[in-house]
Amino acid sequence: MATTRIAVAPELRRARLGVSLIFMTNGILLGNLAPRLPEIRDALELTYGGLGLAMAMWPIGSLGLGLAAGAVIRRFRSSRVAVAAMIICAFAMLLAGVADHVVVFGLALFMVGATDGFVDVAQNSHGLRVQRLYRRSINNAFHAMWSIGAVMGGLMGGVAAGLDIPVSWHFVGMTALVIALNVVSYPLLLKGPEPQETVERGEDEAGMPHSSRPRRIPARIWWILLALSMIAIAGAWAEDAAATWAASYLRDELSATATNAALGFVSLQGFQFVGRITGDRAIDRFGQRTVARAGGALVFVGMGLALAFPTVWGTIAGFGAAGIGIATLIPGAFHAADEMPGLKSGTGLTVVSWMLRLAFLASPPVVGAIADATSLRVGLMIMPIMGLIVVALAGVMEPRRLLRPDSAPSSPAAPSSPAAPSN
């Protein structure tokens, strides 16, 4: 039987575009950094382990100050927090690019992490708010825009490196672009504070609980949340391996040019974009469980073969296969956690989100230490291992994805809806 698609109000379409621009600029920042990391490491005279420790300052900043994101969003709205934090994050990344000492570089990355943590919560909060008003899944499309932004940034960084443009001048241009796009995005976002009925239940749409005492969570639910966290971590660690180490691996161990070395990260993000832009339909048809399991297998096979038979273009292809494989893992794990029965809305999302951020602390130092002791090729074995973990744990995800009946308003385009934005 044919389904009737409900008309979407123009203000919702504008809000979707605004959220997409914020996600995209968030990806542009990381994308521009990844291809220049080999040069930054050389300039600061760091070992792989030293770079890994410096990069760990990013998640430390996110964990250290990001806990305040929920309270700040409730006070100033997700739209304002997302845009303001994104602009501050761009300036912090500029400082990282011009740093002439590892301490300055580390402190700049700490501020990048802190502000990125605010952006992450706020942009997802506003994106979920828009999705609820749409009454259909659009969440993976937002994450796809992050991926396309990362591809844009990776290409910008790769071309700049190939043309020997100084990192400082390159990052000045990047900062100007990010600020301009965020200034454009703000008027497009939903007006008014976060939905009141969500606040009254004790949490906001960012999944950040209020200070009320949480109910006791059964052991079985904790196990499922842990498994979902590991699935999200697997996707994040594979993505971080490409962002932090792909350019160095291709340049240092496979003798790729500076521009070609950037293509490992670009390949992963480009194919991740393809996976995310098609992910909602794939999940609706086959279910999160099947898509996640197939994705884990693709990461294992793609990167396993690339590392077993190392060549420049084979490695770039392996990163691309991994990109498709991990495309829906983090959004899928977040969604499954947020839909956990028996939990207050937002509790599961909070648990998985913060376990994911905590795990980010370990990834760069672990791979860097392994690389110093052996080689980056061995350190990157973390990617196929993460793929196997996803295959093993994907059973905790739902075979089909359905929006909660109470998550959508009765009339998505009507201003009188309880979840509709107020002016």
Side-chain angles (χ1 to χ4, degrees):
M1 183 175 66
T3 58
T4 302
R5 186 175 291 273
I6 300 174
V8 178
E11 59 267 25
L12 289 184
R13 295 186 184 278
R14 290 194 295 269
R16 181 176 182 177
L17 174 60
V19 175
S20 297
L21 286 175
I22 298 173
F23 269 88
M24 185 177 72
T25 55
N26 195 229
I28 285 174
L29 277 187
L30 176 61
N32 273 279
L33 175 65
R36 308 310 298 260
L37 281 174
E39 295 169 72
I40 292 173
R41 182 174 64 84
D42 290 345
L44 298 177
E45 300 180 347
L46 296 174
T47 63
Y48 291 130
L51 178 62
L53 289 173
M55 292 298 293
M57 293 300 292
W58 188 318
I60 288 174
S62 179
L63 285 167
L65 298 181
L67 282 171
V72 173
I73 286 172
R74 288 189 292 273
R75 175 65 178 85
F76 296 104
R77 305 177 188 177
S78 57
S79 55
R80 295 171 179 171
V81 173
V83 171
M86 194 67 248
I87 291 173
I88 298 171
C89 188
F91 280 114
M93 186 66 82
L94 173 60
L95 178 60
V98 302
D100 57 0
H101 193 280
V102 65
V103 173
V104 178
F105 180 64
L107 289 174
L109 290 181
F110 178 89
M111 287 306 302
V112 169
T115 50
D116 181 61
F118 276 69
V119 173
D120 189 39
V121 175
Q123 69 184 1
N124 277 287
S125 173
H126 210 79
L128 288 173
R129 183 177 169 188
V130 174
Q131 176 174 269
R132 289 186 175 103
L133 293 171
Y134 256 75
R135 297 185 66 183
R136 60 185 172 88
S137 177
I138 58 173
N139 191 41
N140 275 308
F142 289 137
H143 288 264
M145 291 306 298
W146 189 96
S147 296
I148 200 64
V151 170
M152 291 170 58
L155 291 174
M156 289 169 61
V159 170
L163 295 176
D164 291 325
I165 297 174
V167 175
S168 57
W169 286 107
H170 166 206
F171 276 32
V172 166
M174 172 199 68
T175 301
L177 174 63
V178 167
I179 292 174
L181 289 175
N182 275 270
V183 169
V184 169
S185 73
Y186 181 71
L188 304 176
L189 301 176
L190 296 176
K191 305 299 187 292
E194 306 309 294
Q196 186 61 34
E197 79 281 2
T198 310
V199 175
E200 291 171 352
R201 286 200 306 266
E203 68 284 323
D204 56 33
E205 295 199 18
M208 302 299 293
H210 289 209
S211 58
S212 57
R213 188 181 184 88
R215 68 183 68 177
R216 182 182 297 275
I217 300 177
R220 177 178 174 275
I221 299 299
W222 276 117
W223 155 247
I224 295 175
L225 289 176
L226 177 61
L228 291 172
S229 298
M230 285 304 304
I231 291 171
I233 289 167
W237 276 22
E239 189 172 334
D240 180 68
T244 305
W245 305 111
S248 292
Y249 173 62
L250 284 161
R251 189 197 71 166
D252 298 347
E253 297 192 15
L254 300 183
S255 302
T257 64
T259 299
N260 287 342
L263 295 181
F265 171 78
V266 169
S267 178
L268 182 138
Q269 291 297 339
F271 281 97
Q272 187 179 61
F273 167 77
V274 173
R276 283 178 168 172
I277 206 70
T278 59
D280 288 311
R281 290 186 178 181
I283 290 171
D284 287 341
R285 180 172 181 180
F286 301 108
Q288 289 185 350
R289 181 182 302 169
T290 300
V291 172
R293 190 167 280 152
L298 193 56
V299 174
F300 173 73
V301 173
M303 278 308 297
L305 289 174
L307 294 171
F309 306 100
T311 63
V312 171
W313 294 107
T315 299
I316 292 170
F319 278 115
I324 293 180
I326 67 173
T328 64
L329 294 184
I330 294 177
F334 280 1
H335 184 276
D338 201 37
E339 300 292 313
M340 286 291 296
L343 296 180
K344 294 175 65 177
S345 177
T347 301
L349 179 59
T350 300
V351 171
V352 173
S353 177
W354 283 98
M355 290 188 72
L356 176 62
R357 292 193 176 279
L358 193 61
F360 261 122
L361 282 172
S363 177
V366 166
V367 175
I370 293 172
D372 281 342
T374 55
S375 67
L376 264 178
R377 181 184 174 192
V378 175
L380 288 174
M381 284 299 295
I382 194 173
M383 295 182 71
I385 291 172
M386 290 295 105
L388 280 181
I389 289 175
V390 172
V391 172
L393 297 179
V396 301
M397 306 186 86
E398 291 295 328
R400 288 290 184 270
R401 184 166 87 173
L402 297 173
L403 288 174
R404 284 190 304 229
D406 64 348
S407 67
S410 58
S411 177
S416 59
S417 168
S422 59
N423 295 322

